[in-house]
């Protein structure tokens, strides 16, 4: 199931956060969403998750318009923000029960236990969310996101909280869901952690797309003197010398 963004604009009062972008994430694709602070990444993810209303444009999750058919779209979606809002007075397992009830899941307990094992949260299953560390909170949010087997997954900075083993598990889960046909968007500033994970890249800058394409194609285009650029080098080069042309052809 795909994620489709068509002519998406978002203004906050006078501030233009996203200035008209189009892209599609196909089933099985893992799109790395990159860009400097304030580029519009979180705005795009929050609009796709139905938390923000677009100023203009259309956002489709598995064929459902997030504004017009929010329930059908959200049934297919997992959104994990970088500061997940949990229920402090519920335990880890109670969070899973709540998600299972909200999504009307049956026979979910074995999957819930397997997710907790993999995320190394099993010994905390009866701990309140308020008692968890930052990395554990992020892992719980990821577990909640994957419980209903979403076909579209949005992860905002998923690698800042978890420890190295947690990061490895996060990556495995992302790959497995993509292999099962999910369309996935991951935003992160930790470019080196990204490199072996993503299949395509979208670089946002000042609310516009600087570059978008399969990672291999992008790397191939940008290989210099027989040397392959790293994602980090590519990012710095692209965002230090913006090539987005304004309407009159100037570069900003
Ligand atoms: P970061 O890497 O710092 O998380 P980002 O790419 O996620 O940045 P956004 O949070 O989408 O960027 O912000 C894009 C622009 O929109 C910025 O100029 C920001 O100041 C502005 N912005 C974001 N949220 C609001 C808001 N609630 N009210 C007003 N302006 C906002």
């Amino acid at each position: 199931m795909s994620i489709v963004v068509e002519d998406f604009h978002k203004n906050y009062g006078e501030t233009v956060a996203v200035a008209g972008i189009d892209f599609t994430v196909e089933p099985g694709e893992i799109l790395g969403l990159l860009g400097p602070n304030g580029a519009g990444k979180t705005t795009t993810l929050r609009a796709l998750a139905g938390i923000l209303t677009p100023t203009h444009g259309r956002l489709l999750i598995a064929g459902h318009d997030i504004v017009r058919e929010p329930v059908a779209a959200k049934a297919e979606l997992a959104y994990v923000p970088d500061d997940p809002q949990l229920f402090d007075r519920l335990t880890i397992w109670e969070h899973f029960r709540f998600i299972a009830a909200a999504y009307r899941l049956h026979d979910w307990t074995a999957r819930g236990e397997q997710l907790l094992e993999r995320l190394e949260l099993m010994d905390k299953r009866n701990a309140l969310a308020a008692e968890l560390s930052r990395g554990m909170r992020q892992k719980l949010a990821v577990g909640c996101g994957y419980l209903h087997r979403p076909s579209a997954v949005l992860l905002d900075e998923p690698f800042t909280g978890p420890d190295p083993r947690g990061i490895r598990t996060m990556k495995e889960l992302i790959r497995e869901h993509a292999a099962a046909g999910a369309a996935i968007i991951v935003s992160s500033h930790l470019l080196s952690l990204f490199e072996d994970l993503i299949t395509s890249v979208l670089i946002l800058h000042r609310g516009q797309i600087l570059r978008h394409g399969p990672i291999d194609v992008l790397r191939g285009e940008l290989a210099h003197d027989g040397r392959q650029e790293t994602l980090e080098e590519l990012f710095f080069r692209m965002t230090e010398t913006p090539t987005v042309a304004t309407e009159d052809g100037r570069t900003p």
Side-chain angles (χ1 to χ4, degrees):
M1 299 281 197
S2 60
I3 299 169
V4 177
V5 173
E6 287 177 358
D7 200 23
F8 169 54
H9 295 245
K10 179 67 189 178
N11 302 340
Y12 298 103
E14 302 275 285
T15 306
V16 179
V18 179
I21 61 173
D22 297 83
F23 64 92
T24 298
V25 188
E26 301 291 352
E29 184 177 340
I30 305 171
L31 175 76
L33 183 58
L34 309 183
N37 293 135
K41 304 179 298 294
T42 298
T43 298
T44 303
L45 293 179
R46 285 170 64 88
L48 276 167
I51 297 167
L52 293 176
T53 310
T55 304
H56 182 78
R58 232 161 53 112
L59 304 160
L60 306 179
I61 303 291
H64 302 288
D65 186 315
I66 190 71
V67 175
R68 290 165 188 268
E69 309 164 72
V71 176
K74 287 177 186 177
E76 299 287 344
L77 181 72
Y79 169 56
V80 183
D82 55 349
D83 59 340
Q85 302 298 307
L86 301 170
F87 301 102
D88 279 350
R89 305 306 300 168
L90 293 187
T91 66
I92 285 186
W93 195 249
E94 286 166 345
H95 274 82
F96 276 18
R97 271 216 206 112
F98 175 79
I99 296 291
Y103 286 91
R104 298 192 172 90
L105 305 181
H106 303 287
D107 304 327
W108 58 273
T109 52
R111 177 167 170 80
E113 282 170 2
Q114 190 204 28
L115 279 167
L116 288 190
E117 285 287 358
R118 293 188 64 185
L119 294 164
E120 297 191 303
L121 291 174
M122 201 49 145
D123 61 335
K124 292 277 182 185
R125 65 184 279 169
N126 296 317
L128 297 175
E131 297 164 356
L132 302 177
S133 71
R134 196 166 90 87
M136 289 173 187
R137 291 173 70 84
Q138 219 165 357
K139 289 199 279 189
L140 171 55
V142 166
C144 288
Y146 284 135
L147 194 63
H148 70 289
R149 299 180 194 277
S151 59
V153 180
L154 314 173
L155 302 167
D156 199 353
E157 287 289 349
F159 304 130
T160 51
D163 58 25
R165 191 180 297 277
I167 290 173
R168 192 166 69 181
T169 306
M170 296 276 208
K171 285 179 159 184
E172 284 169 8
L173 287 168
I174 291 170
R175 287 194 190 101
E176 286 169 21
H177 278 78
I184 301 187
I185 304 180
V186 190
S187 98
S188 180
H189 289 298
L190 303 175
L191 302 182
S192 55
L193 290 178
F194 236 32
E195 237 168 332
D196 60 341
L197 177 69
I198 56 181
T199 59
S200 57
V201 183
L202 191 151
I203 302 179
L204 267 186
H205 192 62
R206 299 177 186 158
Q208 296 184 65
I209 294 178
L210 265 194
R211 209 59 189 242
H212 177 213
I215 184 146
D216 296 341
V217 173
L218 224 59
R219 281 227 194 87
E221 270 176 32
L222 297 161
H224 296 291
D225 305 328
R227 193 180 141 270
Q228 190 66 67
E229 259 188 335
T230 64
L231 191 57
E232 193 168 56
E233 286 168 329
L234 177 124
F235 176 83
F236 281 132
R237 219 156 49 75
M238 300 242 78
T239 55
E240 272 165 12
T241 51
T243 53
V244 177
T246 54
E247 274 176 15
D248 59 2
R250 285 180 298 112
T251 51

